[in-house]
Amino acid sequence: MNIAVVGAQWGDEGKGKLIDILSKDTDLTVRYQGGNNAGHTVVVGDQEYVFHLLPSAILHKSKVCVIGNGVVVDPKALLGEIEDLQKRGLKITPNNLKISGLCHIVLPYHRILDGLRESKRKNKIGTTGRGIGPCYADKVARCGIRMIDLLNPRLLKSKLEDNLTEKNEIFEKVYGKKNFSFGDIYNEYLNYGKKLGPYVADTVIYLNAAIDKKKSILFEGAQGTFLDIDFGTYPFVTSSNSIVGGACSGTGVPPTKIDKVIACVKAYTTRVGEGPFPTEFSTGLKEDIRTRGNEYGATTGRPRRCGWFDSILVRYSLIINGVSELAIMKLDVLDHLPAIKICTAYRYKGKIYKQFPMDFEVLSKAQPIYEELPGWNTSLRGIRQYAKLPSNARRYIERFEELLKVRVKYISIGTKRDEIIVR
Ligand code: IMP
């Protein structure tokens, strides 16, 4: 079976842990969009791993990991991640890691431009500053440099020269910054090409041939539905399609070959960066949940904004992603609360909204309407069977099912690999 895992909120839902668990039973795992703006955390025993570009399944020895064409690769960051993991005893070779030659490459000017654009904006996006937006912008503007180009010195030279002619003029005239040196970037990136060359493959052919041989694939989504460039809270979004549709354009595997979509949500909501967030806590609980849930960005370390679970948001996500099953992560973070709220509608200018509003102003100014459920007021640690959960915890989960009309299959109750209930 080929399964896609997507985030149904604003990212950081706990996809890394779910991928780690599911990838035990699949042959290949493929990342399909985003870049090293992502941070997927997996805890194994007392070891914590944070993956930015490598699929989280790289921890499983016999599994193959693929970086699909939809991912933008910062070669320096990728090589750093590979080296770090090799130092920690993991084997990463061209046998268990394949990188699409069609991936677009993050260059130094993308990273700098990301920061400069953000600094000039009145309405900041809260970008991670990894150059992801400018790199995708070049892809669409048809001047991007791809992984395969790093293996072809003549082509790299000609593309880089073209790019620098334009970029240096922008840097100088718009931002008053000094020029990038062609020679420095050219030599640095040729060198990355030499190091990454052995991993580069035609992953479209590779993945589709694997499917023909009845191998199973796990598609690892990064970020979340409301950071999607088309469907998210634009312009406070990332620059790729983080919904399940991105799995097809970002790998070359057709939609008819994806059998199941699992959406990952937190038992509450978080968001890092700017943008509307109707159920955000104002005070008190914000610090409390942030501390208990360790809600700090896995990539930038920024404190995440926290709020109640928003069923309006997630229901929209489930429609877009055609979700078959839901995974609720971090339920244990709510263990101590006497009462827990779920947002079931928004109110704006006297009107009630039961669907995710397209109008940005409505979303930004909407008052959430809540339903309150009793908490379970006890630790969920150690529970492995659904029936053993306190009745109020089951009530909370079953209310999700009623509101969202989807089955909850996985319930995560801790950071460790085995702290999960499978129903
Ligand atoms: P960028 O993709 O780095 O430009 O960031 C754009 C927005 O998406 C910012 O609000 C980031 O905080 C957010 N973002 C990007 N990647 C992630 C992620 O992996 N998890 C959560 N938020 C993210």
Side-chain angles (χ1 to χ4, degrees), residues 234 309 327 373:
Y234 192 90
F309 186 81
L373 277 83

Side-chain angles (χ1 to χ4, degrees), residues 10-12 37-39 125-129 223 227 237-238 272-274 302:
W10 276 292
D12 308 318
N37 48 352
I125 288 170
T127 167
T128 61
Q223 288 87 39
L227 290 173
V237 293
T238 190
V272 58
E274 308 305 319
R302 290 179 292 176

